[in-house]
């Protein structure tokens, strides 16, 4: 089957949906998403979205906090641009129907998280992402120019490569003509020709065993762009959230929002002692890389698998009103957060690097944009400031939409593109080959490429990845396509990029901490 659209969007989280609403007046839009429409990291966002709303906060303060969290590797021009657009983008989100918590006087009830010098997080209790996803999807479903394909899987971007041309990474004239999309029900791959394509496929937390990310986060978009010879950067900066609920075997790990620390909760060790001040004067609200590393150290010292977050001394009525999701989840495990400390452990949470984009979210491939967690815009540097990712997605989807609307009128479909060829491919009858490799991959990444790294650990990871890469490519080349096999292949590809980029960075900085290199400098 062949289809032609003006705007193809891969992913239905905040990045994909907000872009769709902007371009829909200017042509035919298709959103392809591999699960149900609302299944995305966006849906699970708890803390909220950072933005400057009132004094005493200011753009300058938010810019400064972002730069400090990023440990010197943010692109300051991009930080200034994104933060100064925060107020407008958030107002737009509200116009699309998102509701944020308010004080009695009607002003927004602004929360605080690690690394923020002011209260500036707009939220909907502790279910902000669910509310955003609800509002955006409702508007998208009403728009007659937008088609939404659920449970369809984007396999590969279409470029000159599919016309038989040889292309090299970073080459200036690579062009994207759309994407090949797998229908898992029929096992057929459909050709979608698109004048412009947006990758909004989210992050890659599932390359680790313990992650807060839903199962969809397998780095597909990043791997697709890398295979299409586009540029990917900063993949070594994987953010571990300091506080996921310690509940062995639960997947994904349930997040205990940093907003709870912003509300006053304090990290404690097994002796019941607060420990963060030993590591950083900002205590439990230091930037995430510092808190996660400190917890890791405390766990290694005590030999325990978790530390505690203590909220027992806070106003219990306000606590359960503000964090109903966390309260209910903990209670379901017989932990009453009003009376008992919460066992917490760091978990892989956010992919700071990704597809390299410019200020208009253009990738290094023509007619291809990327926005949200799959992209690397320069906003986060070596460590993302809490609640800046929903904002980043809104800013870059807005800017790419404006750019794509201007350019789409000059772009023609390329009708010479061939359909997907699966001649001679066989059904893979041994799922074990996929599930076992998936588990090996998560084990390699969790053991050797986690919060603390070393040259030796990274080399071990690279050697082991080489083996499963070769085995999986062999299986892929002879099999009829299947979602799990494609996800595994993408996850291996993304893991390789994380390890390679970590090995190239000869220093400890932000989220990349190596025992072989001293940290560059102190940040505060
Ligand atoms: P996502 O929302 O992840 O959407 C990706 C979409 O792409 C999904 O629809 C997926 O199905 C689709 N997709 C992926 N691959 C394919 C494929 N091959 N084919 C078709 N479709 C595909 N950030 C904040 O700023 N504030 C917070 O409070 C916050 N809390 C968080 C809490 C949790 C538990 C998690 C996991 C993350 C949190 N984050 C938070 C991070 C933030 O939620 C994400 O970075 C952001 O939502 C990413 O949005 P996105 O649109 O880029 O991707
Ligand atoms: C949280 O609520 O702690 C998550 C915020 C984020 O990841 O930005």
């Amino acid at each position: 089957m062949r289809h032609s659209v003006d705007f193809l969007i891969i992913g239905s989280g905040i990045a994909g949906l907000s872009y769709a609403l902007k371009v829909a007046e200017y042509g035919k839009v298709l959103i392809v998403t591999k699960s149900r429409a609302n299944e995305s990291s966006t849906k699970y966002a708890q803390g909220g979205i950072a933005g400057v709303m009132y004094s005493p906060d200011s753009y300058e303060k938010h810019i400064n906090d972002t730069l400090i969290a990023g440990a010197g590797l943010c692109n300051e021009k991009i930080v200034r641009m994104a933060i100064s657009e925060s107020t407008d983008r958030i107002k737009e989100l509200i116009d699309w129907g998102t509701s944020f918590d308010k004080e009695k006087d009607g002003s927004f009830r602004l929360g605080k998280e690690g690394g923020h010098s002011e209260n500036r997080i707009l939220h909907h209790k502790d279910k902000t992402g669910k509310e955003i996803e609800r509002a955006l999807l409702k508007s998208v479903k009403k728009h007659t120019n937008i088609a939404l394909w659920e449970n369809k899987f984007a396999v590969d971007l279409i470029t000159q490569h599919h016309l038989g041309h040889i292309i090299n990474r970073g080459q200036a004239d690579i062009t994207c003509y759309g994407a090949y999309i797998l229908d898992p029900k029929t096992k057929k791959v459909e050709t979608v020709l698109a004048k412009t394509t947006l990758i909004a496929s989210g992050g890659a937390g599932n390359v680790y065993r313990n992650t807060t990310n839903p199962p969809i986060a397998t780095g597909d978009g990043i791997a697709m762009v890398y295979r299409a010879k586009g540029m990917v950067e900063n993949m070594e900066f994987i953010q571990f959230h300091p506080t996921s609920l310690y509940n062995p075997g639960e997947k994904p790990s349930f997040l205990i929002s940093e907003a709870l620390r912003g509300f006053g909760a304090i990290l404690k060790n097994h002796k019941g002692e607060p420990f963060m001040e030993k590591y950083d004067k900002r205590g439990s609200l230091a930037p995430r890389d510092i808190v996660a590393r400190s917890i890791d150290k405390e766990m290694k010292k005590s030999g325990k698998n978790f530390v505690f977050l203590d909220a027992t001394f806070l106003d219990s009525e306000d606590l359960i009103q503000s964090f109903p999701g966390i309260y209910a989840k903990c209670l379901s495990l017989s932990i009453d957060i009003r009376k008992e400390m919460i066992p917490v452990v760091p978990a892989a949470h956010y992919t700071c690097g990704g597809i390299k984009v410019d200020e208009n979210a253009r990738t290094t491939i023509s007619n291809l944009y990327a926005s949200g967690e799959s992209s690397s815009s320069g906003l986060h540097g070596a460590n993302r400031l809490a609640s800046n990712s929903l904002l980043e997605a809104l800013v870059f989807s807005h800017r790419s939409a404006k750019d794509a609307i201007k350019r789409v009128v000059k772009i023609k479909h390329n009708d010479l593109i061939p359909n997907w060829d699966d001649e001679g491919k066989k059904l893979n009858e041994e799922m074990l080959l996929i599930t076992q490799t998936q588990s090996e991959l998560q084990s390699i990444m969790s053991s050797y490429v986690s919060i603390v790294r070393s040259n030796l650990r990274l080399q071990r990871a690279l050697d082991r990845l080489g083996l499963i890469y070769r085995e999986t490519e062999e299986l892929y080349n002879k099999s009829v396509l299947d979602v799990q096999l494609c996800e595994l292949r993408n996850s291996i590809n993304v893991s390789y990029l994380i390890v390679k980029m970590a090995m190239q960075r000869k220093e400890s900085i932000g989220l990349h901490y190596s025992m072989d290199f001293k940290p560059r400098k102190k940040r505060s």
Side-chain angles (χ1 to χ4, degrees):
M1 286 272 276
R2 287 170 87 82
H3 312 263
S4 299
V5 297
D6 297 303
F7 304 96
L8 170 64
I9 301 167
I10 298 170
S12 57
I14 188 170
L17 297 178
S18 63
Y19 174 91
L21 289 171
K22 300 232 156 189
V23 295
E25 293 303 318
Y26 300 88
K28 199 170 155 191
V29 181
L30 171 62
I31 305 174
V32 175
T33 190
K34 69 176 173 180
S35 182
R36 293 217 320 276
N38 71 350
E39 190 55 8
S40 56
S41 288
T42 301
K43 177 176 144 187
Y44 298 94
Q46 291 187 2
I49 179 164
V52 175
M53 302 310 278
Y54 316 112
S55 77
D57 199 8
S58 66
Y59 292 135
E60 215 45 49
K61 286 183 187 171
H62 190 176
I63 289 166
N64 201 36
D65 294 345
T66 303
L67 294 173
I68 291 171
L73 289 195
C74 300
N75 177 334
E76 186 167 343
K77 185 178 138 225
I78 293 291
V79 173
R80 290 192 170 278
M81 185 203 86
I83 303 298
S84 49
E85 291 180 16
S86 63
T87 323
D88 287 348
R89 297 288 76 79
I90 288 172
K91 284 186 180 151
E92 224 159 38
L93 197 54
I94 294 166
D95 290 343
W96 282 322
T98 310
S99 130
F100 291 116
D101 291 355
K102 292 194 170 159
E103 303 285 1
K104 285 198 184 90
D105 67 1
S107 61
F108 289 108
R109 187 171 195 207
L110 301 174
K112 196 170 184 183
E113 292 181 50
H116 288 274
S117 57
E118 291 289 346
N119 282 48
R120 64 167 72 97
I121 320 288
L122 289 101
H123 55 94
H124 182 97
K125 301 212 180 289
D126 56 0
K127 297 182 178 173
T128 310
K130 199 169 171 195
E131 168 61 11
I132 293 176
E133 193 68 25
R134 179 203 62 74
L136 291 179
L137 260 180
K138 192 169 171 200
S139 300
V140 158
K141 284 180 175 168
K142 274 198 252 166
H143 210 295
T144 48
N145 281 358
I146 306 176
L148 178 60
W149 287 2
E150 294 182 282
N151 302 306
K152 299 247 187 148
F153 186 91
V155 178
D156 263 327
L157 295 168
I158 303 172
T159 66
Q160 298 95 317
H161 167 76
H162 298 95
L163 295 166
H165 299 196
I166 292 174
I167 45 182
N168 298 307
R169 185 160 318 286
Q171 186 178 311
D173 60 349
I174 309 173
T175 302
C176 177
Y177 302 112
Y180 289 118
I181 309 292
L182 171 68
D183 182 343
K185 271 203 198 128
T186 60
K187 302 230 177 260
K188 293 281 172 237
V189 176
E190 306 189 14
T191 306
V192 175
L193 298 176
K195 293 181 182 170
T196 62
T197 302
L198 173 79
I199 305 257
S201 53
N206 284 284
V207 304
Y208 290 92
R209 203 183 296 125
N210 295 319
T211 177
T212 61
N213 292 188
I216 54 98
T218 50
D220 300 344
I222 299 170
M224 276 191 267
V225 169
Y226 190 73
R227 278 198 297 274
K229 303 278 195 267
M231 299 305 284
V232 170
E233 64 177 16
N234 289 345
M235 290 300 292
E236 66 274 37
F237 299 121
I238 297 293
Q239 185 169 71
F240 284 75
H241 196 291
T243 57
S244 78
L245 180 63
Y246 177 71
N247 184 25
E250 179 171 11
K251 280 183 192 289
S253 303
F254 183 80
L255 185 75
I256 303 293
S257 175
E258 194 157 294
L260 192 50
R261 276 176 278 141
F263 191 78
I266 285 178
L267 285 161
K268 293 190 171 166
N269 61 21
H270 282 260
K271 292 183 196 148
E273 300 160 346
F275 59 83
M276 268 312 300
E277 271 72 13
K278 270 193 307 198
Y279 299 97
D280 192 288
K281 65 176 188 303
R282 290 159 291 188
S284 293
L285 280 177
R288 261 181 209 173
D289 56 329
I290 297 171
V291 182
R293 229 165 16 246
S294 308
I295 295 177
D296 189 66
K297 207 160 182 181
E298 289 290 315
M299 287 182 355
K300 285 190 175 129
K301 246 190 336 193
S302 66
K304 308 275 187 197
N305 293 329
F306 56 91
V307 294
F308 291 104
L309 186 63
D310 187 0
T312 57
F313 56 93
L314 301 171
D315 179 317
S316 57
E317 203 42 46
D318 202 5
L319 178 67
I320 60 175
Q321 286 293 326
S322 303
F323 300 97
I326 292 175
Y327 172 65
K329 173 69 190 183
C330 291
L331 205 58
S332 76
L333 299 170
S334 306
I335 304 164
D336 184 340
I337 66 171
R338 297 170 300 177
K339 300 181 190 138
E340 289 158 282
M341 297 199 289
I342 310 168
V344 291
V345 62
H349 181 64
Y350 186 82
T351 311
C352 289
I355 304 157
K356 184 176 163 59
V357 294
D358 69 8
E359 70 273 17
N360 291 317
R362 287 190 192 179
T363 69
T364 53
I365 297 179
S366 297
N367 305 338
L368 181 71
Y369 299 86
S371 171
E373 195 169 335
S374 63
S375 71
S376 172
S377 68
L379 178 66
H380 308 312
N383 173 51
R384 174 181 66 104
L385 181 67
S387 288
N388 263 358
S389 45
L390 294 171
L391 175 65
E392 181 195 42
L394 285 181
V395 168
F396 284 87
S397 289
H398 167 77
R399 298 181 74 88
S400 50
K402 271 177 54 182
D403 198 71
I405 289 164
K406 244 191 301 165
R407 300 184 63 250
V408 75
V409 284
K410 298 182 212 136
I411 302 170
K412 296 213 162 20
H413 288 123
N414 188 333
D415 295 317
L416 300 175
I417 297 299
N419 285 340
W420 186 264
D421 181 11
D422 57 5
E423 204 44 48
K425 303 278 170 87
K426 294 205 179 79
L427 275 179
N428 166 40
E429 308 219 332
E430 267 200 288
M431 273 311 284
L432 171 80
L433 298 177
I434 296 173
T435 52
Q436 178 56 26
T437 310
Q438 178 71 24
S439 154
E440 276 177 58
L441 174 70
Q442 290 172 336
S443 171
I444 294 167
M445 294 302 286
S446 305
S447 304
Y448 299 128
V449 200
S450 186
I451 295 173
V452 176
R453 302 161 180 180
S454 71
N455 290 338
L456 184 63
R457 290 180 190 182
L458 293 175
Q459 188 58 52
R460 285 204 166 191
L462 193 67
D463 294 344
R464 280 150 181 77
L465 283 177
L467 175 66
I468 60 174
Y469 168 76
R470 286 190 295 278
E471 288 172 352
T472 306
E473 284 303 294
E474 205 178 300
L475 184 64
Y476 179 88
N477 287 333
K478 61 182 189 205
S479 303
V480 170
L481 286 195
D482 162 274
V483 170
Q484 267 179 290
L485 178 56
C486 290
E487 287 182 337
L488 172 63
R489 185 173 182 241
N490 290 335
S491 297
I492 294 174
N493 192 330
V494 164
S495 299
Y496 166 79
L497 292 172
I498 296 170
V499 174
K500 250 332 223 198
M501 292 185 194
M503 291 176 93
Q504 281 158 5
R505 194 162 288 283
K506 304 286 181 212
E507 62 178 332
S508 282
I509 184 163
L511 295 159
H512 173 66
Y513 184 86
S514 166
M515 295 192 288
D516 295 311
F517 300 101
K518 283 213 160 66
R520 196 196 275 187
K521 60 179 180 205
K522 213 166 156 43
R523 300 132 60 192
S524 51

